[in-house]
Amino acid sequence: MINFSKINDPALLLTERLPIIVKMRAPLTVYPFSSLPPMLQTIMIYYPIVAVFGVLASVMSIVILSRGNCGLSRCVSRYLVAMATADLLVVFLDVILYRVNDYYFPTTFLFITQVCACQITLIHAATDISVWLTLAFTFDRYVMICCHKLRTKVCSEITARKVITIVFPLFVCKNIPWFFLFEPMFTVGNTDWLCISVRQAWTHPGWILFTWIHRVLTPLFPMLMISLLNALTVARIVAATRARKVLRGSNNYADENDSEVKSRRKSIILLFAVSGNFILLWMTYLIFFLWMQITQRFVFTSAKDPMLIADQTSYMLLLLSCCTNTCIYAATQSKFREELINVMKYPVKILLKCLIGGK
């Protein structure tokens, strides 16, 4: 830890003797935007856009799905609302309070070490909750389609409520150790600033085991399970569709107008969209993490370091995944789109009424 007890402004420290990742936290207070590296400029434009889109998408999904007019079962609606809530938490904690704040408001109280450690802990918890609710919903759909004997017990609103109630506090408790994994990067007066991993995090067997368990639980295990469940579900749908065609004959016209075949086709499209979105957007993060463990390189040399660019890109895609999960599930439903249009029209109607009434 560095002690700068005689310096009152922590922003001044960001240009002196600190790693490049710390200097990147306060670009607008030290450097003009035009002089920043292209990657950093991209990040500073990208995250505010993700923040606005993520908040709007999650809030709209929560409002629309909570009304229950989308033609979805109450069980499905419960999962989708919970997923949208978790994604909203990720956007608020990680994108807005952590990343946007880093680059645009670099000397707020959020950079005090204790607040920073608490924030990182909550970010990990919210991300875990978002990922595991996605897995829970995928498992629910798998049971609904492939396990008819378990359908009544598993695919119910009561079960969904229990799963959601367990997932939220469980992963908050699971991530509490993150709070004790950080120490101050430097001290200004009597105030500790920023977070840096304690040295024991890279050498102590307990901390190493904890970080590996964390990466396995999110995203490796959910990624494998979602891929497996979707593959089994799609295989079951394809087999059922072929059997139905045999029973109905080989009439292509009949197939095109078969509501059951259309419903299964939509299910396949939805499953591929969800699994593809989750796996592709998380894959860069997973590959980069494994590469860092193999090469044992954890320090970036400059803002143009390819490893730093890969690291930042992986987080950009990861956070985009949290913004789009619920949208993919819900946007494939025609009734949801109708509700979305109605919700968007509502403020316009209110404004017109006010204008007309004012006249």
Side-chain angles (χ1 to χ4, degrees):
M1 182 179 68
I2 306 172
N3 192 325
F4 295 98
S5 58
K6 296 182 180 180
I7 300 180
N8 296 321
D9 186 3
L12 297 177
L13 302 177
L14 299 176
T15 57
E16 301 294 336
R17 292 170 288 177
L18 295 180
I20 184 63
I21 194 64
V22 181
K23 294 181 183 180
M24 289 175 63
R25 288 179 177 271
L28 294 185
T29 61
V30 180
Y31 311 106
F33 183 83
S34 59
S35 66
L36 298 176
M39 184 64 195
L40 187 51
Q41 291 181 354
T42 302
I43 289 172
M44 295 180 67
I45 296 173
Y46 177 81
Y47 282 126
I49 295 174
V50 171
V52 173
F53 175 77
V55 170
L56 289 177
S58 298
V59 171
M60 294 288 279
S61 296
I62 293 171
V63 171
I64 294 172
L65 293 169
S66 298
R67 297 174 63 183
N69 298 327
C70 298
L72 301 172
S73 67
R74 296 181 66 86
C75 172
V76 172
S77 296
R78 286 280 182 183
Y79 278 118
L80 293 181
V81 170
M83 289 165 57
T85 304
D87 289 343
L88 181 61
L89 288 175
V90 172
V91 172
F92 179 72
L93 292 170
D94 200 341
V95 179
I96 298 176
L97 293 186
Y98 188 68
R99 301 184 187 277
V100 173
N101 179 72
D102 272 11
Y103 298 117
Y104 288 95
F105 310 100
T107 57
T108 65
F109 74 96
L110 294 176
F111 289 99
I112 296 174
T113 300
Q114 292 76 12
V115 179
C116 174
C118 182
Q119 187 178 3
I120 293 175
T121 302
L122 293 176
I123 288 172
H124 283 302
T127 303
D128 286 356
I129 292 168
S130 175
V131 171
W132 278 82
L133 285 177
T134 303
L135 174 58
F137 178 68
T138 304
F139 179 75
D140 177 87
R141 294 299 87 198
Y142 164 76
V143 172
M144 184 67 183
I145 296 174
C146 302
C147 305
H148 292 176
K149 293 182 179 180
L150 299 175
R151 182 187 300 177
T152 305
K153 294 182 179 180
V154 176
C155 305
S156 65
E157 183 184 6
I158 296 176
T159 302
R161 189 181 301 170
K162 290 180 180 179
V163 170
I164 294 167
T165 303
I166 292 173
V167 166
F168 272 82
L170 176 64
F171 283 101
V172 170
C173 295
K174 174 256 180 186
N175 286 282
I176 288 177
W178 282 108
F179 181 82
F180 304 98
L181 194 61
F182 298 99
E183 64 181 5
M185 182 169 285
F186 55 83
T187 299
V188 181
N190 296 321
T191 305
D192 297 330
W193 290 89
L194 298 181
C195 296
I196 187 172
S197 299
V198 296
R199 293 182 180 180
Q200 293 84 347
W202 310 107
T203 57
H204 193 279
W207 283 122
I208 294 174
L209 178 62
F210 170 74
T211 54
W212 271 100
I213 290 175
H214 174 75
R215 305 302 177 188
V216 170
L217 291 178
T218 304
L220 183 58
F221 179 76
M223 187 180 294
L224 294 176
M225 287 302 299
I226 288 174
S227 300
L228 176 61
L229 292 173
N230 283 334
L232 294 174
T233 304
V234 170
R236 181 60 180 267
I237 291 175
V238 171
T241 301
R242 288 177 178 175
R244 188 175 180 83
K245 286 184 178 180
V246 172
L247 292 175
R248 292 175 61 90
S250 58
N251 191 327
N252 293 331
Y253 179 79
D255 290 340
E256 292 178 358
N257 291 274
D258 189 339
S259 59
E260 186 68 20
V261 171
K262 289 182 178 179
S263 176
R264 285 174 178 159
R265 188 181 297 118
K266 289 181 179 179
S267 298
I268 293 175
I269 294 173
L270 174 61
L271 288 172
F272 273 124
V274 171
S275 60
N277 173 74
F278 179 81
I279 293 172
L280 289 176
L281 295 181
W282 274 84
M283 185 61 70
T284 305
Y285 170 82
L286 182 60
I287 292 175
F288 181 75
F289 169 76
L290 295 175
W291 176 256
M292 289 186 67
Q293 299 302 317
I294 294 171
T295 60
Q296 291 294 301
R297 182 185 172 189
F298 305 104
V299 179
F300 307 123
T301 58
S302 71
K304 296 182 180 180
D305 189 336
M307 292 289 287
L308 177 61
I309 295 174
D311 176 60
Q312 295 297 320
T313 302
S314 68
Y315 279 104
M316 290 166 68
L317 295 175
L318 181 156
L319 293 170
L320 182 62
S321 171
C322 292
C323 294
T324 58
N325 280 344
T326 304
C327 294
I328 291 176
Y329 281 117
T332 54
Q333 306 295 320
S334 58
K335 290 186 178 180
F336 177 86
R337 290 194 293 271
E338 293 176 2
E339 288 293 314
L340 179 61
I341 293 172
N342 291 335
V343 170
M344 294 176 67
K345 287 181 178 179
Y346 184 75
V348 179
K349 292 180 180 179
I350 296 296
L351 180 61
L352 290 175
K353 286 182 178 180
C354 292
L355 293 175
I356 295 173
K359 292 181 179 180

